């Protein structure tokens, strides 16, 4: 034993400055690319700033304008909510249904690779691929409907259908990932529990309700909340697929504030808008978390 | 800034359990089996459909799109479209930029995640709990919050890109590879992932090495690092996929710097060039080129860690 190592007896206590050296990149990054931008963003939201000039302090006026006078802002909040809600309400049960089939299927590797394909694809390609498929006149879907004598809807040019389309594409994009999370949770269920349930005379439905669903509840809560957060802040798909149109029907708040910043050059108001959206997401996620946890008791 | 989930990697462990499930209840299995595979196949068809549509579309020639009614299947597949993509679009440039940016970010993320995750898992020091809370908490902040402030922080870096000492007058780091990479060199999620893996490795190994007089760096490099190779493979894969596909940030900082655009951004910003009907096939071929490298890398790397005990390491770290 050497005298250089005096305190090795219990636990990882030695190392001196070593952990700080290992953590140095993270700490610098946390300051420069996390804390500083957040602080900058909050400060900007109290200013009026076109980056060609100097920012001027306006107090809470940007918040007041967005919340009380900007109808477009509220319309985008509603769109954001419809998009995220549609995505979660249809996407999560669908992923769960697929997971039930997937987790007991043969050839898992192949199914997994196919369902994971959209996750590997860049969002621009996804938007354009679906633009081609959903094209009002020459798209594959409306051609197929036409072949059996039906007139397909205007998927991307009708305001209501455009929202339906972006929600469906978002579900398609994320289904594989959520399916695999649910499937991992289902695989974690011990076979012995099912055997015990069968011995006790529980039928398939009762087993599902009383054994399977409670066990995968943590995964369900996780997928529901993360999907909701993703949906509320997701705008790259919409930007590339519909550009927020037609006539603002698919314009979500994140896209609205992005444009406010980089097209209208209103940095202060855009920062305020982004912070309001963040607050809405935080509040709704907390509510969901509470609701999903309460029900499990 | 969140990356895809690692569950996919850790999921292989369930295959054995599935086999056991399949062996029981032959009758019910038969009835449910048809429905199960029908559902999976229907879903798989929908997953593949847009990709198939793209490959077919890329091969259409002017004769097909201007026919009345326009033909869906190309009468004569135009395989030359893939050569045209490289000849008529700045494809080589985009491709090179995608490789450079993705490579730099992935390397940086793996390096910072491994070191920080190791420190958080294997050392005890004041402030460890708060730093870990930061790592977990920071993942809750959506990326759209950071676009505006980081854009201007990079724009006003003093003494860079023609800026004076107060950060005025020039364009700062905008228009450089640094602007594309720096905001992503640390991934909170990656740090969290690596910490979980290191937690699963017993401390005895470190202590034995310390008794032998090994330096802290040597313990990390020669003993701990080789043990988390599967985790590194997982993180590499997810970083690569995420940043090859990254779109919003790269578009924001390269809108006026075409020489820095990556594949998705280049294709998006060149929309105008694809407007006429017979250019659609060119667009579809370009999209195919932007997608294929990820699929190839994914399939290659997936085999690499399907064979490893990633699943166990992930479980152990919890």
């Amino acid at each position: 034993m050497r005298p250089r190592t005096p305190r090795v007896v219990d636990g990882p206590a030695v190392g001196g400055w070593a952990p700080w050296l290992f953590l140095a990149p993270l700490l610098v990054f946390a300051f420069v690319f996390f804390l500083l931008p957040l602080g900058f963003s909050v400060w900007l939201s109290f200013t009026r700033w076109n980056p060609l000039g100097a920012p001027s302090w306006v107090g809470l006026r940007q918040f007041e304008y967005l919340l009380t006078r900007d109808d477009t802002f509220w319309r985008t909040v509603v769109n954001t909510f419809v998009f995220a809600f549609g995505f979660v309400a249809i996407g999560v049960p669908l992923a769960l249904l697929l997971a039930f089939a997937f987790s007991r299927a043969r050839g898992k590797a192949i199914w997994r690779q196919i369902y994971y394909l959209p996750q590997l694809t860049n969002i621009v390609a996804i938007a354009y691929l679906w633009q081609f498929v959903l094209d009002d006149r020459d798209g594959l879907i409306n051609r197929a409907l036409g072949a059996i004598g039906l007139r397909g809807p205007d998927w991307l040019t009708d305001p209501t259908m455009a929202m339906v389309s972006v929600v469906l594409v978002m579900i398609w994009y994320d289904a594989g990932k959520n399916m695999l999370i649910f499937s991992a949770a289902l695989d974690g269920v011990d076979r012995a529990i099912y055997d015990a349930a069968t011995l006790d005379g529980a039928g398939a439905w009762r087993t599902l309700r009383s054994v399977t669903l409670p066990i995968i509840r943590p995964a369900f809560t996780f997928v529901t909340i993360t999907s909701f957060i993703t949906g509320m802040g997701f705008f790259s798909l919409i930007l590339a697929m519909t550009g927020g149109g037609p006539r603002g029907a698919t314009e979500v708040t994140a896209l609205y504030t992005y444009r406010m910043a980089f097209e209208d050059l209103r940095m202060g108001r855009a920062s305020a808008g982004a912070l309001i959206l963040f607050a809405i997401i935080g509040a709704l996620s907390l509510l969901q978390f509470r609701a999903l946890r309460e029900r499990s008791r | 800034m969140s990356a895809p989930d690692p569950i996919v990697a850790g999921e292989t462990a369930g295959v054995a359990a599935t086999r056991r499930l399949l062996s029981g209840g032959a009758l019910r299995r038969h009835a449910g089996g048809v429905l199960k595979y029908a559902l999976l196949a229907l879903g798989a068809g929908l997953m593949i459909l847009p990709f198939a549509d793209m490959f077919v579309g890329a091969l259409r020639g002017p004769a097909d799109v201007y026919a009345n009614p326009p033909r869906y299947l190309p009468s004569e597949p135009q395989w030359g479209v893939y050569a045209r993509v490289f000849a008529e679009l700045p494809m080589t440039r985009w491709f090179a930029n995608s490789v450079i940016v993705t490579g730099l970010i992935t390397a940086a993320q793996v390096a910072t995640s491994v070191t920080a995750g190791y420190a958080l898992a294997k050392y005890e020091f004041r402030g460890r709990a708060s730093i870990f809370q930061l790592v977990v908490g920071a993942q809750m902040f959506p990326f759209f919050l950071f676009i505006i402030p980081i854009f201007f922080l990079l724009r006003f870096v003093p003494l860079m890109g023609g800026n004076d000492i107060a950060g005025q007058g020039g364009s700062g780091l905008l228009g450089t590879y640094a602007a594309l990479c720096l905001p992503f060199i640390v991934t909170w999620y990656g740090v969290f992932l690596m910490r979980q893996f290191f937690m699963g490795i017993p401390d005895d190994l470190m202590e034995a090495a310390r008794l032998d007089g090994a330096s802290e760096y040597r313990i990390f490099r020669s003993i701990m690092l080789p043990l988390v190779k599967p985790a590194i493979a997982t993180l590499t894969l997810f970083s690569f996929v995420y940043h090859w596909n990254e779109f919003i940030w790269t578009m924001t900082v390269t809108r006026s710097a075409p020489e820095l655009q990556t594949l998705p951004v280049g294709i998006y910003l060149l929309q105008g060039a694809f407007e006429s009907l017979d250019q659609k096939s060119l667009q579809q071929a370009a999209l195919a080129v932007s997608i294929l490298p990820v699929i190839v890398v994914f399939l290659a790397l997936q085999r690499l860690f399907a064979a490893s005990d990633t699943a166990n390491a992930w479980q152990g770290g919890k």
Side-chain angles (χ1 to χ4, degrees):
Chain A
M1 211 173 279
R2 299 173 194 200
R4 275 186 55 215
T5 55
R7 296 177 288 132
V8 287
V9 201
D10 49 41
V14 284
W17 42 265
W20 294 104
L21 216 60
F22 283 126
L23 280 169
L26 176 125
L27 295 174
V28 172
F29 182 89
F31 179 72
V32 178
F33 289 106
F34 183 72
L35 296 176
L36 203 58
L38 277 183
F40 188 27
S41 194
V42 171
W43 180 77
L44 271 182
S45 68
F46 295 114
T47 68
R48 178 182 296 131
W49 185 36
N50 175 327
L52 300 173
S56 58
W57 185 265
V58 296
L60 286 168
R61 247 184 287 168
Q62 302 287 22
F63 291 95
E64 188 235 312
Y65 175 82
L66 288 169
L67 292 173
T68 62
R69 276 181 287 157
D70 188 358
D71 294 340
T72 312
F73 180 77
W74 283 110
R75 201 189 65 218
T76 65
V77 170
V78 171
N79 286 344
T80 306
F81 187 74
V82 170
F83 179 74
F85 182 79
F87 168 49
V88 171
I90 307 172
V92 174
L94 188 73
L96 187 57
L97 188 69
L98 284 169
F100 276 119
F102 171 79
S103 73
R104 297 172 190 196
R106 283 163 197 271
K108 281 191 146 186
I110 303 282
W111 294 119
R112 175 172 41 229
Q113 278 156 13
I114 293 173
Y115 279 91
Y116 212 62
L117 211 51
Q119 286 285 312
L120 301 179
T121 307
N122 65 75
I123 212 75
V124 174
I126 286 174
Y128 288 171
L129 257 51
W130 279 101
Q131 273 185 4
F132 285 115
V133 173
L134 295 175
D135 190 88
D136 294 347
R137 219 167 47 88
D138 298 334
L140 184 58
I141 292 189
N142 280 4
R143 272 172 191 266
L145 289 175
I148 54 170
L150 293 172
R151 193 187 169 281
D154 296 335
W155 296 99
L156 294 169
T157 49
D158 175 80
T160 311
M161 282 314 292
M163 179 55 95
V164 172
S165 297
V166 289
V167 168
L168 290 178
V169 172
M170 185 68 192
I171 291 167
W172 174 86
Y173 171 63
D174 234 38
K177 188 178 78 183
N178 292 339
M179 175 189 91
L180 292 177
I181 295 173
F182 280 136
S183 148
L186 287 173
D187 290 345
V189 181
D190 196 335
R191 181 72 196 137
I193 300 178
Y194 286 120
D195 291 340
T198 313
L199 279 178
D200 288 345
W205 174 245
R206 180 112 176 87
T207 309
L208 176 74
R209 258 196 53 210
S210 307
V211 180
T212 313
L213 290 183
I215 288 177
I216 62 162
R217 184 173 285 280
F220 186 81
T221 307
F222 174 80
V223 169
T224 303
I225 294 179
T226 52
S227 296
F228 180 76
I229 294 175
T230 306
M232 292 289 287
F234 208 78
F235 68 103
S236 50
L237 174 73
I238 292 173
L239 174 65
M241 206 172 134
T242 63
R247 282 173 280 131
T250 56
E251 186 164 36
V252 290
T253 309
L255 177 59
Y256 181 55
T257 61
Y258 180 83
R259 288 212 168 121
M260 208 184 267
F262 294 99
E263 286 171 21
D264 305 343
L265 302 180
R266 295 177 188 277
M267 298 304 161
R269 187 173 298 168
S271 302
L275 286 171
I276 296 172
L277 176 62
F278 179 54
I280 295 174
I281 295 175
L284 291 178
S285 312
L286 208 67
L287 280 178
Q288 274 182 32
F289 186 70
R290 289 249 170 90
L292 287 169
R293 215 179 33 178
E294 286 306 318
R295 277 201 286 153
S296 74
R297 285 208 189 113
Chain B
M1 253 186 257
S2 68
D5 226 88
I7 305 289
V8 189
E11 187 273 342
T12 43
V15 176
T18 312
R19 272 205 201 104
R20 258 175 283 133
L21 280 177
L22 277 169
S23 60
L27 224 152
R28 207 186 316 152
R29 190 180 82 214
H30 218 75
V34 179
L35 205 69
K36 171 175 78 191
Y37 287 106
L39 180 71
L40 279 176
L42 179 72
L46 277 173
M47 290 292 140
I48 293 172
L49 179 92
F51 296 97
D53 184 68
M54 167 188 74
F55 283 113
V56 172
L59 298 176
R60 275 182 220 130
D64 303 310
V65 294
Y66 290 124
N68 191 18
R71 268 192 291 276
Y72 185 74
L73 291 172
S75 51
E76 209 176 311
Q78 308 288 309
W79 293 103
V81 71
Y82 289 99
R84 277 180 58 212
V85 157
F86 282 90
E88 293 175 25
L89 302 173
M91 203 69 178
T92 322
R93 190 85 186 117
W94 295 341
F95 206 100
N97 284 336
S98 278
V99 171
I100 293 168
V101 172
T102 311
L104 287 173
I105 292 176
T106 304
Q109 288 193 340
V110 169
T112 57
S113 300
V114 165
T115 49
Y118 176 64
L120 289 173
K122 288 293 163 204
Y123 289 100
E124 239 159 59
F125 50 93
R126 279 188 62 163
R128 180 173 83 159
S130 335
I131 296 175
F132 183 61
Q133 273 165 12
L134 172 81
V135 170
V136 175
Q139 294 181 62
M140 310 287 169
F141 288 76
F143 187 60
F144 67 78
L145 270 182
F146 295 91
I147 301 176
I148 298 169
I150 292 183
F151 184 89
F152 286 102
L153 286 176
L154 292 170
R155 158 79 179 69
F156 293 124
V157 178
L159 302 177
M160 290 294 211
N163 278 351
D164 59 21
I165 190 100
Q168 303 292 322
S171 59
L173 286 176
L174 298 180
T176 66
Y177 283 116
L180 296 184
C181 300
L182 284 178
F184 298 115
I185 56 171
V186 170
T187 150
W188 306 114
Y189 166 80
V191 173
F192 178 78
L193 180 74
M194 293 313 303
R195 181 221 179 237
Q196 300 303 84
F197 268 88
F198 278 118
M199 292 289 275
I201 295 173
D203 293 335
D204 321 18
L205 286 171
M206 279 177 92
E207 282 156 25
R210 282 212 185 95
L211 290 176
D212 287 344
S215 71
E216 293 301 312
Y217 176 73
R218 213 178 117 72
I219 295 173
F220 170 68
R221 180 72 193 78
S222 311
I223 299 173
M224 302 308 265
L225 214 48
L227 290 172
V228 291
K229 268 187 192 159
I232 293 176
T234 310
L235 182 58
T236 304
L237 181 67
F238 286 118
S239 290
F240 174 85
V241 171
Y242 188 81
H243 289 284
W244 182 276
N245 293 336
E246 205 287 323
F247 168 56
I248 290 290
W249 175 255
T250 310
M251 179 196 61
T252 307
V253 292
T254 64
R255 201 181 259 287
S256 51
E259 70 282 2
L260 291 179
Q261 285 163 6
T262 56
L263 280 164
V265 176
I267 295 172
Y268 173 73
L269 290 176
L270 216 66
Q271 284 171 82
F274 301 119
E275 248 140 59
S276 84
L277 264 184
D278 51 355
Q279 291 295 82
K280 296 284 182 205
S281 59
L282 198 65
Q283 187 179 23
Q284 283 165 313
L287 293 171
V289 173
S290 80
I291 295 171
L292 278 176
V294 194
I295 295 174
V296 169
V297 168
F298 183 77
L299 292 181
L301 271 180
Q302 204 197 27
R303 198 161 304 154
L304 194 138
F305 64 76
S308 73
D309 55 351
T310 309
N312 298 334
W314 175 245
Q315 295 291 327
K318 269 180 192 168

